[in-house]
Amino acid sequence: MTRGRNNWTCEDDHKLRVLYKLYQEQPNLWQIISHGFPKQNSKACRERWIFHADPEINHLPFTYDERQYILSRVNQPGATDWVAIAEEISHPHARRTALQCKNFVNNRQRRIDSEFGRLLDKYKKSGDRMNLGFILN
């Protein structure tokens, strides 16, 4: 039976934490937990835990050192090994997820691309093609 997509609430996250503590030793943990969420399947419960609800996840913005490390790794071979990057910048009881690292890089690139496009549009409208001729040709 496939369950429909449903947004998670703070109450759902709390309930997920409680159920995880109760059943964490069970072999079919996520299937058991999913019975407590009529609109979520076991995969959705597991992913919610791994990427958001686990209390050991650090939800604060990345520190300067974390940002610098992630960006230095992006320019190396195997740069998209987000799991390895997340493990390398994580601390005990302050874990970063692979999804957080990937989203940081993708959102940063999106902002850069957007800013570049905005500047390019500004120069196109001004008619000043001499300074950006190498881009516009």
Side-chain angles (χ1 to χ4, degrees), residues 1-116:
M1 177 173 122
T2 304
R3 297 177 183 172
R5 181 183 171 120
N6 186 35
N7 292 332
W8 291 83
T9 65
C10 291
E11 293 80 17
D12 289 337
D13 287 343
H14 176 72
K15 184 177 178 181
L16 181 59
R17 288 182 189 106
V18 170
L19 291 173
Y20 183 85
K21 280 185 178 183
L22 285 173
Y23 299 111
Q24 64 186 337
E25 301 300 325
Q26 297 297 320
N28 52 348
L29 166 70
W30 299 113
Q31 190 158 3
I32 292 169
I33 288 176
S34 70
H35 292 298
F37 301 95
K39 294 187 178 181
Q40 304 294 356
N41 60 26
S42 57
K43 180 180 178 183
C45 292
R46 179 181 172 275
E47 288 179 353
R48 184 65 177 186
W49 178 262
I50 290 171
F51 296 119
H52 186 79
D54 183 347
E56 292 192 358
I57 295 173
N58 181 353
H59 291 284
L60 296 173
F62 284 105
T63 64
Y64 175 80
D65 290 339
E66 288 173 329
R67 291 191 308 267
Q68 292 304 107
Y69 183 79
I70 293 169
L71 295 174
S72 73
R73 282 290 308 271
V74 168
N75 296 322
Q76 295 177 2
T80 57
D81 186 358
W82 300 117
V83 172
I85 293 171
E87 288 173 355
E88 290 161 9
I89 64 171
S90 291
H91 304 287
H93 309 294
R95 182 172 68 85
R96 294 294 189 176
T97 69
L99 188 62
Q100 286 174 314
C101 296
K102 180 186 71 129
N103 287 346
F104 165 74
V105 170
N106 290 343
N107 290 339
R108 182 178 182 276
Q109 189 60 51
R110 195 173 301 117
R111 283 191 308 270
I112 290 169
D113 292 346
S114 175
E115 180 65 14
F116 180 77

